[in-house]
Amino acid sequence: MCREGQNDDGLSRPQRFKKRSMTEIYKNVEELLLATNPQSPVYCIYPHVYRDSTRHFLQGFPGRVLYAVKANNHPAVLKQIYDAGVRNFDCASLPEIELVSKTCPDSTMYYMNPARLDGHARRAQTEHGVRHFVVDHHSGLAPLIQEIDPKNSVIFARMAVSHVSAMENLSAKFGAKPENVPALLMEIFKTGAEPALAFNVGTGVKDPEAYVYSLGIANEALSNLPFKVRLLDIGGGFPRPYPGYKVPKLDDYFSHIRSASAALPLAKNGELLAEPGRALSAPGLSAVTRVLLRKTDRVYLNDGMYGVFWELRFKGHRRYPCRVFRNGLPLVGETRSFRLFGPTCDSSDELPGRVELPVAIDVGDHIEFGAIGAYSLSGRTNFNGFYSDNVISIGDEGARPPQ
Ligand SMILES: *Cc1c(COP(=O)(O)O)cnc(C)c1O
């Protein structure tokens, strides 16, 4: 029996060439500001932060770690996560698979979206060696089977679970009801593919109990099958703390998952998989924005809800940690609470959370927002003509983004 993730599955894979995504390097944000006094937003990668947080996740999670590419698909960010040791990628579409294949040599891509365009599963398998797919309804199974070699494939049945502690319910759209999962697994089994089980609790999950609860439901679904399932994918949802959004440490999640999964009726060579997006992509990126206008308690920035801050429109966290610079030096002193606005003409382009900033803040100052790597770069628009793709790297290992 070959171990998953190794390229010994008999399918030939196209040769991959290593491509470096080049970003300019500055010692720290102070140096960036002094050297360039940027008018447009600059997104700063802290490679040492990505390295440490990614390794921590890889070491702590009791199973295989797939990075959920949708959380941040910027090649320079993918490369950080890859360089720290991640070799498995949860992709939602053929373009994401193609991107990972170009950016992250010798990686394994998983096509984990029940909704696919015609022909894309076939191309994923023949052109990129993809072996893992997902369905959440029998109407999705026949079209998939027509495009792939089932004998060489693993097909996950996606089960709907949700928990009140998630910031966004990701089972409202995809996922079969738990009582329908055994039948779906049987259908997969009959195609000749290897059946496996997947769920996704939500995003920004505030309570490790959500995983324990979902593993309990999975346990039930797996207990009444005439065969044993080898792979259980518990999805993403591992949180990142933000101001006003306190969450337990990731290690708490890992230990809850470790003990709750001990009792699962998996096959002997059974394995857990996780699909963290936020936990891997959030920590090592900051956004350096510029103040365009200041009116009493209002600050207008060159980036907003149509840009890097788009995730704040959902009902999760409301703020990112931040700090202010003037002429490349930290601006400190007495603070007050401010409303922050984006640069577009849309009056809803206001960040939802009030932020404490120095009273003296003024036009031309810069604000750096930390922990902004998740659901930020990947959803920017050029609405009203505001768009920046200026991504740089911070070279000094002692430099920390705002916490
Ligand atoms: C969005 C998503 C993820 C990643 O979620 P995070 O909260 O960013 O960890 C993982 N799996 C699936 C199926 C998703 O839809």
Side-chain angles (χ1 to χ4, degrees):
M1 183 80 218
C2 67
R3 246 182 86 76
E4 285 288 328
Q6 286 175 359
N7 193 5
D8 51 4
D9 51 23
L11 286 185
S12 65
R13 278 178 207 221
Q15 246 196 314
R16 304 219 174 83
F17 299 95
K18 196 159 184 145
K19 250 197 203 158
R20 297 218 153 257
S21 52
M22 295 295 258
T23 52
E24 274 183 77
I25 300 175
Y26 293 88
K27 187 165 168 259
N28 50 32
V29 167
E30 286 87 338
E31 190 188 78
L32 164 78
L33 293 173
L34 285 172
T36 70
N37 186 22
Q39 298 293 315
S40 287
V42 182
Y43 307 114
C44 305
I45 289 178
Y46 288 72
H48 45 289
V49 175
Y50 271 129
R51 182 194 60 214
D52 295 348
S53 55
T54 304
R55 287 187 183 163
H56 180 250
F57 200 103
L58 284 172
Q59 281 159 13
F61 180 72
R64 194 186 312 175
V65 175
L66 284 55
Y67 171 57
V69 173
K70 74 169 193 218
N72 192 327
N73 63 350
H74 196 287
V77 171
L78 281 177
K79 193 179 174 307
Q80 298 303 315
I81 291 169
Y82 174 83
D83 283 350
V86 171
R87 290 294 177 276
N88 297 295
F89 293 84
D90 161 21
C91 301
S93 63
L94 184 62
E96 282 193 357
I97 290 166
E98 291 169 342
L99 172 67
V100 172
S101 151
K102 260 197 300 201
T103 319
C104 307
D106 302 315
S107 291
T108 303
M109 290 79 76
Y110 297 65
Y111 198 162
M112 297 301 276
N113 190 342
R116 291 169 305 270
L117 301 192
D118 279 2
H120 281 197
R122 174 180 291 121
R123 288 180 54 196
Q125 184 149 86
T126 55
E127 296 170 20
H128 302 286
V130 173
R131 295 181 54 234
H132 300 80
F133 302 89
V134 65
V135 296
D136 70 343
H137 189 261
H138 73 96
S139 68
L141 187 57
L144 174 62
I145 290 301
Q146 281 172 12
E147 295 191 12
I148 62 172
D149 172 11
K151 296 239 163 356
N152 245 317
S153 303
V154 177
I155 302 179
F156 289 86
R158 167 93 177 257
M159 180 173 74
V161 289
S162 61
H163 195 268
V164 287
S165 75
M167 135 183 161
E168 190 85 4
N169 176 4
L170 292 179
S171 284
K173 178 169 167 192
F174 288 128
K177 285 189 186 146
E179 62 263 34
N180 297 333
V181 164
L184 188 54
L185 286 167
M186 275 307 296
E187 261 191 88
I188 294 168
F189 180 78
K190 284 181 190 151
T191 68
E194 177 183 335
L197 184 61
F199 62 76
N200 192 48
V201 180
T203 193
V205 175
K206 281 177 132 171
D207 184 352
E209 279 300 324
Y211 293 90
V212 176
Y213 166 82
S214 305
L215 284 164
I217 296 177
N219 196 333
E220 251 171 74
L222 293 172
S223 292
N224 300 310
L225 292 171
F227 50 83
K228 288 247 164 95
V229 160
R230 188 170 60 93
L231 301 178
L232 174 58
D233 182 346
I234 68 166
F238 301 91
R240 158 84 206 182
Y242 300 101
Y245 195 86
K246 284 212 166 47
V247 294
K249 293 213 173 325
L250 287 178
D251 290 333
D252 279 3
Y253 291 77
F254 300 150
S255 58
H256 275 78
I257 290 164
R258 190 176 284 111
S259 45
S261 60
L264 288 170
L266 293 178
K268 267 212 189 64
N269 52 353
E271 219 184 315
L272 286 188
L273 287 68
E275 301 171 342
R278 182 184 309 279
L280 298 190
S281 62
L285 192 81
S286 77
V288 173
T289 64
R290 186 181 177 92
V291 177
L292 305 181
L293 293 168
R294 149 95 204 257
K295 306 175 187 172
T296 322
D297 70 338
R298 299 172 170 216
V299 164
Y300 295 68
L301 301 173
N302 59 357
D303 210 332
M305 299 300 285
Y306 291 90
V308 80
F309 297 107
W310 63 272
E311 194 199 27
L312 298 179
R313 82 171 63 105
F314 302 112
K315 65 177 193 304
H317 67 111
R318 295 160 62 84
R319 289 183 278 138
Y320 295 96
C322 68
R323 63 186 168 203
V324 180
F325 293 90
R326 174 168 297 168
N327 301 323
L329 295 171
L331 181 67
V332 291
E334 193 195 338
T335 65
R336 63 165 293 168
S337 127
F338 279 92
R339 297 166 68 182
L340 298 180
F341 294 85
T344 71
C345 300
D346 182 342
S347 51
S348 74
D349 188 4
E350 176 179 358
L351 279 59
R354 283 179 162 263
V355 182
E356 280 290 315
L357 298 172
V359 177
I361 191 168
D362 214 339
V363 174
D365 292 340
H366 288 94
I367 309 183
E368 182 187 24
F369 294 87
I372 202 167
Y375 306 106
S376 50
L377 295 186
S378 59
R380 283 166 299 156
T381 75
N382 66 354
F383 182 58
N384 271 209
F386 291 96
Y387 185 84
S388 165
D389 201 27
N390 191 6
V391 176
I392 63 103
S393 283
I394 298 295
D396 177 4
E397 295 234 345
R400 312 302 298 181
Q403 300 279 348

Coordinates of all heavy atoms in Angstrom, one line a residue, residues 9-68:
D9 N 1.8 6.6 -7.5 CA 0.5 6.1 -7.7 C 0.3 5.6 -9.2 O -0.8 5.3 -9.5 CB -0.5 7.2 -7.4 CG -0.2 8.5 -8.1 OD1 0.5 8.4 -9.1 OD2 -0.6 9.5 -7.6
G10 N 1.4 5.5 -9.9 CA 1.3 5.0 -11.3 C 0.9 6.0 -12.3 O 1.0 5.8 -13.5
L11 N 0.3 7.1 -11.9 CA 0.0 8.2 -12.8 C 1.2 9.0 -13.1 O 1.9 9.4 -12.2 CB -1.1 9.1 -12.3 CG -2.5 8.6 -12.2 CD1 -3.5 9.7 -11.7 CD2 -3.0 8.1 -13.5
S12 N 1.4 9.2 -14.4 CA 2.6 10.1 -14.7 C 2.3 11.5 -14.5 O 1.2 11.9 -14.8 CB 3.1 9.8 -16.1 OG 2.1 10.3 -17.0
R13 N 3.2 12.3 -14.0 CA 3.0 13.7 -13.8 C 3.9 14.5 -14.7 O 5.0 14.1 -14.9 CB 3.3 14.1 -12.4 CG 2.2 13.7 -11.4 CD 2.6 14.1 -10.1 NE 1.9 13.3 -9.1 CZ 1.4 13.7 -8.0 NH1 1.6 15.0 -7.7 NH2 0.8 12.9 -7.2
P14 N 3.3 15.6 -15.2 CA 4.2 16.4 -16.1 C 5.4 17.0 -15.2 O 5.2 17.2 -14.0 CB 3.3 17.6 -16.5 CG 2.1 17.5 -15.6 CD 2.0 16.2 -15.0
Q15 N 6.5 17.2 -15.9 CA 7.6 17.7 -15.2 C 7.3 19.1 -14.7 O 6.6 19.9 -15.4 CB 8.8 17.8 -16.2 CG 9.9 16.9 -15.8 CD 11.2 17.3 -16.5 OE1 11.1 17.5 -17.7 NE2 12.3 17.3 -15.8
R16 N 7.8 19.5 -13.6 CA 7.6 20.8 -13.1 C 8.9 21.6 -13.0 O 9.9 21.0 -12.7 CB 7.0 20.8 -11.7 CG 5.7 20.0 -11.7 CD 4.7 20.6 -10.8 NE 3.4 19.8 -11.0 CZ 3.2 18.7 -10.4 NH1 4.1 18.2 -9.5 NH2 2.1 18.1 -10.6
F17 N 8.8 22.8 -13.3 CA 10.0 23.7 -13.2 C 9.9 24.7 -12.1 O 8.8 25.2 -11.8 CB 10.2 24.4 -14.5 CG 10.4 23.5 -15.7 CD1 9.3 23.2 -16.5 CD2 11.6 22.9 -16.0 CE1 9.4 22.3 -17.5 CE2 11.7 22.0 -17.0 CZ 10.7 21.7 -17.8
K18 N 11.0 24.8 -11.4 CA 11.0 25.7 -10.2 C 11.0 27.2 -10.7 O 11.8 27.6 -11.5 CB 12.2 25.5 -9.4 CG 12.1 26.0 -8.0 CD 13.0 25.4 -7.0 CE 12.8 25.9 -5.6 NZ 13.0 25.0 -4.6
K19 N 10.0 27.9 -10.2 CA 9.9 29.3 -10.6 C 10.0 30.1 -9.3 O 9.3 29.8 -8.4 CB 8.6 29.6 -11.3 CG 8.7 29.9 -12.8 CD 7.5 30.6 -13.3 CE 7.3 30.4 -14.8 NZ 6.0 30.5 -15.2
R20 N 10.8 31.1 -9.3 CA 10.9 31.9 -8.1 C 10.0 33.1 -8.3 O 10.0 33.8 -9.3 CB 12.3 32.4 -7.9 CG 13.3 31.3 -7.7 CD 14.3 31.6 -6.6 NE 14.8 30.4 -6.0 CZ 14.4 30.1 -4.7 NH1 13.6 30.8 -4.1 NH2 14.8 29.0 -4.2
S21 N 9.1 33.4 -7.3 CA 8.4 34.6 -7.4 C 9.2 35.7 -6.7 O 9.5 35.6 -5.5 CB 7.0 34.5 -6.8 OG 7.1 34.0 -5.5
M22 N 9.7 36.7 -7.4 CA 10.6 37.7 -6.9 C 9.8 38.8 -6.3 O 9.0 39.4 -6.9 CB 11.5 38.2 -8.0 CG 12.4 37.1 -8.7 SD 13.6 36.5 -7.5 CE 15.0 37.4 -8.1
T23 N 10.1 39.1 -5.1 CA 9.6 40.3 -4.4 C 10.8 41.1 -4.0 O 11.8 40.6 -3.6 CB 8.7 40.0 -3.2 OG1 9.4 39.1 -2.3 CG2 7.4 39.3 -3.7
E24 N 10.6 42.5 -4.0 CA 11.7 43.3 -3.5 C 11.8 43.1 -2.0 O 10.8 42.9 -1.3 CB 11.3 44.8 -3.8 CG 11.8 45.3 -5.1 CD 11.5 46.7 -5.3 OE1 12.2 47.5 -4.7 OE2 10.5 47.0 -6.0
I25 N 13.0 43.3 -1.4 CA 13.2 43.1 0.0 C 13.6 44.4 0.7 O 14.5 45.1 0.2 CB 14.3 42.0 0.2 CG1 13.9 40.7 -0.4 CG2 14.5 41.8 1.7 CD1 14.9 39.6 -0.3
Y26 N 12.9 44.7 1.8 CA 13.3 45.8 2.6 C 13.6 45.3 4.0 O 13.0 44.3 4.4 CB 12.2 46.9 2.7 CG 12.0 47.6 1.3 CD1 11.1 47.0 0.4 CD2 12.7 48.7 1.0 CE1 10.9 47.6 -0.8 CE2 12.5 49.3 -0.3 CZ 11.6 48.8 -1.2 OH 11.5 49.3 -2.4
K27 N 14.5 46.0 4.7 CA 14.8 45.5 6.1 C 13.6 45.4 6.9 O 13.3 44.5 7.6 CB 15.9 46.4 6.6 CG 16.5 46.0 7.9 CD 17.7 46.8 8.2 CE 18.2 46.7 9.6 NZ 17.8 47.8 10.5
N28 N 12.8 46.5 6.9 CA 11.6 46.6 7.7 C 10.7 47.7 7.1 O 11.0 48.3 6.0 CB 11.9 47.0 9.2 CG 12.9 48.1 9.3 OD1 12.8 49.0 8.4 ND2 13.7 48.2 10.3
V29 N 9.6 47.9 7.7 CA 8.6 48.8 7.1 C 9.1 50.3 7.2 O 8.9 51.1 6.2 CB 7.2 48.7 7.9 CG1 6.3 49.9 7.5 CG2 6.6 47.4 7.5
E30 N 9.9 50.6 8.2 CA 10.5 51.9 8.3 C 11.3 52.2 7.0 O 11.2 53.2 6.4 CB 11.4 52.1 9.5 CG 10.6 52.2 10.8 CD 10.3 50.9 11.5 OE1 10.2 49.8 10.7 OE2 10.0 50.8 12.7
E31 N 12.2 51.2 6.7 CA 13.0 51.4 5.5 C 12.2 51.5 4.2 O 12.5 52.3 3.3 CB 14.0 50.2 5.4 CG 15.1 50.4 4.3 CD 16.0 49.2 4.0 OE1 15.5 48.3 3.3 OE2 17.1 49.2 4.5
L32 N 11.2 50.7 4.1 CA 10.3 50.8 2.9 C 9.7 52.2 2.8 O 9.7 52.7 1.7 CB 9.1 49.7 3.1 CG 7.9 50.0 2.2 CD1 8.2 49.4 0.8 CD2 6.7 49.3 2.7
L33 N 9.2 52.7 3.9 CA 8.6 54.0 3.9 C 9.6 55.1 3.5 O 9.3 56.0 2.7 CB 7.9 54.3 5.2 CG 6.7 53.4 5.5 CD1 6.2 53.7 6.9 CD2 5.6 53.6 4.5
L34 N 10.8 55.1 4.1 CA 11.8 56.1 3.9 C 12.3 56.0 2.4 O 12.5 57.0 1.8 CB 13.0 55.9 4.8 CG 12.8 56.4 6.2 CD1 13.9 55.9 7.1 CD2 12.6 57.9 6.3
A35 N 12.4 54.8 1.9 CA 12.9 54.6 0.5 C 11.9 55.0 -0.5 O 12.2 55.5 -1.6 CB 13.4 53.2 0.3
T36 N 10.6 54.7 -0.3 CA 9.6 54.8 -1.4 C 8.4 55.7 -1.1 O 7.7 56.1 -2.0 CB 9.1 53.4 -1.8 OG1 8.2 53.0 -0.7 CG2 10.2 52.4 -2.0
N37 N 8.2 56.1 0.2 CA 7.0 56.9 0.5 C 5.8 56.6 -0.3 O 5.3 57.4 -1.1 CB 7.4 58.4 0.3 CG 6.3 59.3 0.8 OD1 5.4 58.9 1.7 ND2 6.2 60.5 0.3
P38 N 5.3 55.3 -0.2 CA 4.4 54.8 -1.2 C 3.0 55.5 -1.2 O 2.5 55.7 -0.1 CB 4.2 53.3 -0.8 CG 4.6 53.3 0.6 CD 5.7 54.3 0.8
Q39 N 2.5 55.8 -2.4 CA 1.2 56.4 -2.5 C 0.1 55.3 -2.5 O -1.0 55.5 -2.0 CB 1.1 57.2 -3.9 CG 2.1 58.3 -4.0 CD 1.7 59.4 -3.0 OE1 0.6 59.8 -2.8 NE2 2.8 59.9 -2.3
S40 N 0.4 54.2 -3.1 CA -0.5 53.1 -3.2 C -0.2 52.1 -2.1 O 0.9 52.0 -1.6 CB -0.4 52.3 -4.6 OG -0.9 53.1 -5.6
P41 N -1.2 51.2 -1.8 CA -1.0 50.2 -0.7 C 0.2 49.3 -1.1 O 0.4 49.0 -2.2 CB -2.3 49.4 -0.7 CG -3.3 50.3 -1.3 CD -2.6 51.2 -2.3
V42 N 1.0 48.9 0.0 CA 2.0 48.0 -0.2 C 1.8 46.8 0.8 O 1.4 47.0 1.9 CB 3.4 48.6 0.2 CG1 4.5 47.5 -0.1 CG2 3.7 49.8 -0.6
Y43 N 1.8 45.6 0.2 CA 1.6 44.4 1.0 C 2.9 43.7 1.4 O 3.7 43.5 0.5 CB 0.6 43.5 0.3 CG -0.6 44.2 -0.2 CD1 -0.9 44.4 -1.5 CD2 -1.5 44.8 0.8 CE1 -2.0 45.1 -1.9 CE2 -2.6 45.5 0.4 CZ -2.8 45.7 -1.0 OH -3.9 46.4 -1.4
C44 N 3.2 43.6 2.7 CA 4.5 43.2 3.2 C 4.5 41.7 3.7 O 3.7 41.4 4.6 CB 5.0 44.1 4.3 SG 4.9 45.8 3.8
I45 N 5.3 40.9 3.1 CA 5.5 39.5 3.6 C 6.6 39.5 4.6 O 7.7 40.0 4.4 CB 5.8 38.6 2.4 CG1 4.6 38.5 1.5 CG2 6.3 37.3 2.9 CD1 4.8 37.6 0.3
Y46 N 6.3 38.9 5.8 CA 7.3 38.6 6.8 C 7.6 37.1 6.7 O 6.9 36.3 7.4 CB 6.7 39.0 8.2 CG 6.6 40.4 8.5 CD1 5.5 41.2 7.8 CD2 7.4 41.1 9.3 CE1 5.4 42.5 8.1 CE2 7.2 42.5 9.6 CZ 6.2 43.2 9.0 OH 6.1 44.5 9.2
P47 N 8.7 36.8 6.0 CA 8.9 35.3 5.7 C 9.2 34.5 7.0 O 8.7 33.4 7.1 CB 10.2 35.3 4.8 CG 10.3 36.7 4.2 CD 9.6 37.6 5.2
H48 N 9.9 35.2 8.0 CA 10.2 34.5 9.2 C 8.9 34.2 10.0 O 8.8 33.2 10.7 CB 11.2 35.2 10.1 CG 10.9 36.7 10.2 ND1 11.0 37.6 9.1 CD2 10.5 37.4 11.2 CE1 10.7 38.8 9.5 NE2 10.3 38.7 10.8
V49 N 7.9 35.1 9.9 CA 6.6 34.8 10.6 C 5.9 33.7 9.9 O 5.4 32.7 10.6 CB 5.8 36.1 10.6 CG1 4.4 35.8 11.2 CG2 6.5 37.2 11.4
Y50 N 5.8 33.7 8.6 CA 5.2 32.6 7.9 C 5.9 31.2 8.2 O 5.3 30.2 8.4 CB 5.2 32.8 6.4 CG 4.0 33.6 5.9 CD1 4.1 34.7 5.1 CD2 2.7 33.1 6.2 CE1 3.0 35.4 4.6 CE2 1.6 33.8 5.8 CZ 1.8 34.9 5.0 OH 0.7 35.6 4.5
R51 N 7.2 31.3 8.2 CA 8.0 30.0 8.4 C 7.6 29.5 9.8 O 7.3 28.3 9.9 CB 9.5 30.3 8.4 CG 10.4 29.1 8.6 CD 11.8 29.6 8.8 NE 11.9 30.4 10.0 CZ 12.7 31.5 10.2 NH1 13.6 31.8 9.2 NH2 12.7 32.2 11.3
D52 N 7.6 30.3 10.8 CA 7.4 29.8 12.2 C 6.0 29.3 12.4 O 5.7 28.3 13.0 CB 7.8 30.9 13.2 CG 9.3 31.2 13.2 OD1 10.0 30.4 12.6 OD2 9.7 32.2 13.8
S53 N 5.0 30.1 11.9 CA 3.6 29.7 12.1 C 3.2 28.5 11.3 O 2.5 27.6 11.8 CB 2.7 30.9 11.8 OG 2.9 31.4 10.5
T54 N 3.8 28.4 10.1 CA 3.4 27.2 9.3 C 4.0 25.9 9.9 O 3.4 24.9 10.0 CB 4.0 27.4 7.9 OG1 3.4 28.6 7.3 CG2 3.6 26.2 7.0
R55 N 5.3 26.1 10.4 CA 5.9 24.9 11.0 C 5.2 24.5 12.3 O 5.1 23.3 12.5 CB 7.4 25.2 11.3 CG 8.2 25.2 10.0 CD 9.7 25.3 10.3 NE 10.5 25.4 9.1 CZ 11.7 25.9 9.1 NH1 12.3 26.2 10.2 NH2 12.3 25.9 7.9
H56 N 4.7 25.5 13.0 CA 4.0 25.2 14.2 C 2.8 24.3 13.9 O 2.5 23.4 14.6 CB 3.6 26.4 14.9 CG 2.9 26.2 16.2 ND1 1.6 26.5 16.4 CD2 3.3 25.7 17.4 CE1 1.2 26.2 17.6 NE2 2.2 25.7 18.2
F57 N 2.1 24.7 12.8 CA 0.9 24.0 12.5 C 1.2 22.6 12.0 O 0.6 21.6 12.4 CB 0.1 24.7 11.4 CG -1.3 24.3 11.3 CD1 -2.3 25.1 11.8 CD2 -1.7 23.1 10.7 CE1 -3.7 24.7 11.7 CE2 -3.0 22.7 10.6 CZ -4.0 23.5 11.1
L58 N 2.3 22.5 11.2 CA 2.7 21.2 10.6 C 3.1 20.2 11.8 O 2.8 19.0 11.7 CB 3.8 21.3 9.7 CG 3.5 21.8 8.3 CD1 4.8 22.1 7.5 CD2 2.6 20.9 7.5
Q59 N 3.7 20.8 12.8 CA 4.2 19.9 13.9 C 3.0 19.6 14.8 O 3.0 18.5 15.4 CB 5.3 20.6 14.7 CG 6.6 20.5 13.9 CD 7.6 21.6 14.3 OE1 7.4 22.3 15.4 NE2 8.7 21.7 13.6
G60 N 2.1 20.5 14.9 CA 1.0 20.3 15.9 C -0.2 19.4 15.5 O -0.8 18.7 16.3
F61 N -0.5 19.6 14.2 CA -1.7 18.9 13.8 C -1.5 17.4 13.6 O -0.5 17.0 12.9 CB -2.2 19.5 12.4 CG -3.5 18.8 12.0 CD1 -4.7 19.0 12.6 CD2 -3.4 17.8 10.9 CE1 -5.8 18.3 12.2 CE2 -4.6 17.2 10.5 CZ -5.8 17.4 11.2
P62 N -2.3 16.5 14.2 CA -2.1 15.1 14.1 C -2.5 14.4 12.8 O -3.4 13.6 12.8 CB -2.9 14.5 15.3 CG -4.0 15.5 15.4 CD -3.5 16.9 15.0
G63 N -2.0 14.9 11.7 CA -2.3 14.3 10.4 C -1.7 15.1 9.3 O -0.8 15.9 9.5
R64 N -2.3 14.9 8.1 CA -1.8 15.6 6.9 C -2.4 17.0 6.7 O -3.6 17.2 6.9 CB -2.2 14.7 5.7 CG -1.5 15.0 4.4 CD -2.1 14.2 3.3 NE -2.3 12.8 3.6 CZ -2.8 11.9 2.7 NH1 -3.3 12.3 1.5 NH2 -3.0 10.6 3.0
V65 N -1.5 17.9 6.4 CA -2.0 19.3 6.3 C -2.0 19.8 4.8 O -1.1 19.7 4.1 CB -1.0 20.3 7.1 CG1 -1.4 21.7 6.9 CG2 -1.0 19.9 8.6
L66 N -3.3 20.2 4.4 CA -3.5 20.7 3.1 C -3.7 22.2 3.2 O -4.6 22.6 4.0 CB -4.7 20.1 2.4 CG -4.8 18.7 1.9 CD1 -4.3 17.7 2.9 CD2 -6.2 18.4 1.3
Y67 N -3.0 23.0 2.6 CA -3.2 24.5 2.6 C -4.4 24.8 1.7 O -4.4 24.4 0.5 CB -2.0 25.3 2.2 CG -2.3 26.7 2.0 CD1 -2.9 27.5 3.1 CD2 -2.1 27.4 0.8 CE1 -3.2 28.8 2.9 CE2 -2.4 28.7 0.6 CZ -3.0 29.4 1.7 OH -3.3 30.8 1.5
A68 N -5.4 25.5 2.2 CA -6.6 25.9 1.4 C -6.2 27.2 0.6 O -6.2 28.3 1.2 CB -7.8 26.2 2.3

